[in-house]
């Protein structure tokens, strides 16, 4: 969207104890297993299915999840409850659904609203961040937040996710773009982020906001900056469970 929002007002270890007396397994179990020393193990007596080759079938390592910085962009103040700020609406509902702490302004994280939450999937860190700036200049604050957040992480350990409104997609539809280099498609918030981040990769989660009948710039601007109706808000918020699932996929992928 080629909007110019610059004139909008700026507001804000397991127990390994075993019974001393063991019982013989049922006959049908004993026929299917044999006791052998597993190569590489520290003790004899590991049970291996007959015919299995422990050298070819090692136990799979547990999956590892990475921390996420999950950012929403939009407009503050009188434009908060509009379609253009659907990213903020959805992230607020995500915080509510996963019982995250209240958002608080944090100067160290780009002066954004921050909630330090826990993933409902893995227990890893999810830092929820809402931009407090105008949409068209979202990049500077988001870059500051990312630089501060990633400072204590090993290189490449965490992922940056940006939740934004997406024109032309059905209300509440969710799209995920992991591949880098995709166009901003006229979205000034994404343009600002791409310019500020200098090629740093991030994942986009788009929230569909529909489209106006007319494609005239003034009509598009009026559409995205209009207050959401109760029906529109309900459809936008209905995607929250899907967004949480996508975030779970991203932290482990």
């Amino acid at each position: 969207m080629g909007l110019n929002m610059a004139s909008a007002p700026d507001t804000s270890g397991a127990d390994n104890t075993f019974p001393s007396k063991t019982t013989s397994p049922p006959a049908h179990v004993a026929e299917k297993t044999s006791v052998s020393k597993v190569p590489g193990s520290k003790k004899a007596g590991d049970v291996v299915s007959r015919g299995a080759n422990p050298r070819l079938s090692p136990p799979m390592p547990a999956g590892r999840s990475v921390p996420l910085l999950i950012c929403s962009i939009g407009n503050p103040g009188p434009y908060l409850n509009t379609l253009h700020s659907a990213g903020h609406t959805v992230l607020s509902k995500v915080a509510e659904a996963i019982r995250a702490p209240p958002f608080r302004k944090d100067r160290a994280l780009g002066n954004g609203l921050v909630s330090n939450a826990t993933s409902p999937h893995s227990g890893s860190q999810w830092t929820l961040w809402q931009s407090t700036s105008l949409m068209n200049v979202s990049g500077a604050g988001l870059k500051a937040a990312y630089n501060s957040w990633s400072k204590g992480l090993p290189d490449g350990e965490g992922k940056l996710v940006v939740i934004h409104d997406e024109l032309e997609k059905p209300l509440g539809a969710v799209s995920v773009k992991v591949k880098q280099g995709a166009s901003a498609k006229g979205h000034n918030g994404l343009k600002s982020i791409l310019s500020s981040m200098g090629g740093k990769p991030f994942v986009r989660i788009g929230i569909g906001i529909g489209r106006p009948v007319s494609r005239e710039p003034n009509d598009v601007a009026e559409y995205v900056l209009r207050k959401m109706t109760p029906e529109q808000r309900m459809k936008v918020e209905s995607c929250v469970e899907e967004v949480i699932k996508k975030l779970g996929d991203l932290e482990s992928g």
Side-chain angles (χ1 to χ4, degrees), residues 30-244:
E31 290 176 359
K32 295 181 179 179
T33 60
S34 62
V35 177
S36 64
K37 177 70 169 61
V38 177
S41 68
K42 295 182 180 180
K43 61 180 181 180
D46 294 333
V47 178
V48 182
S49 299
R50 180 170 290 165
N53 186 337
R55 292 184 184 276
L56 301 179
S57 308
M60 293 297 290
R64 186 171 63 89
S65 299
V66 299
L68 299 180
L69 174 60
I70 307 164
C71 304
S72 65
I73 56 175
N75 282 306
Y79 300 100
L80 191 57
N81 188 33
T82 62
L83 288 168
H84 209 24
S85 295
H88 288 334
T89 299
V90 169
L91 190 58
S92 291
K93 295 302 288 185
V94 166
E96 183 180 312
I98 66 175
R99 299 184 179 183
F103 283 91
R104 299 184 185 280
K105 183 168 277 194
D106 191 334
R107 290 185 177 181
L109 289 178
N111 213 32
L113 298 176
V114 179
S115 175
N116 293 307
T118 301
S119 164
H121 306 286
S122 67
S124 66
Q125 177 199 49
W126 282 10
T127 301
L128 313 183
W129 184 91
Q130 292 183 322
S131 171
T132 55
S133 68
L134 294 168
M135 175 70 89
N136 290 13
V137 290
S138 306
L142 193 147
K143 178 183 179 181
Y146 176 80
N147 287 344
S148 179
W149 172 79
S150 62
K151 194 175 295 182
L153 298 175
D155 187 40
E157 182 72 15
K159 286 184 180 178
L160 171 61
V161 182
V162 177
I163 303 179
H164 61 89
D165 62 300
E166 190 161 17
L167 198 64
E168 305 290 344
K169 293 291 178 67
L171 272 169
V174 177
S175 66
V176 179
K177 290 185 177 69
V178 177
K179 187 177 179 180
Q180 304 304 303
S183 166
K185 292 186 177 179
H187 193 296
N188 287 334
L190 290 176
K191 286 182 180 179
S192 177
I193 293 169
L194 288 167
S195 175
S196 296
M197 294 303 292
K200 186 69 182 177
F202 63 95
V203 178
R204 308 180 196 181
I205 296 183
I207 309 300
I209 61 170
R211 62 178 179 82
V213 175
S214 170
R215 295 298 193 276
E216 289 297 322
N218 289 340
D219 294 332
V220 173
E222 182 182 350
Y223 175 80
V224 301
L225 297 178
R226 192 166 52 207
K227 292 286 185 183
M228 282 189 278
T229 66
E231 292 78 14
Q232 287 175 326
R233 188 176 183 91
M234 184 174 65
K235 286 187 177 181
V236 167
E237 292 179 346
S238 70
C239 72
V240 167
E241 286 189 16
E242 184 179 356
V243 170
I244 292 173

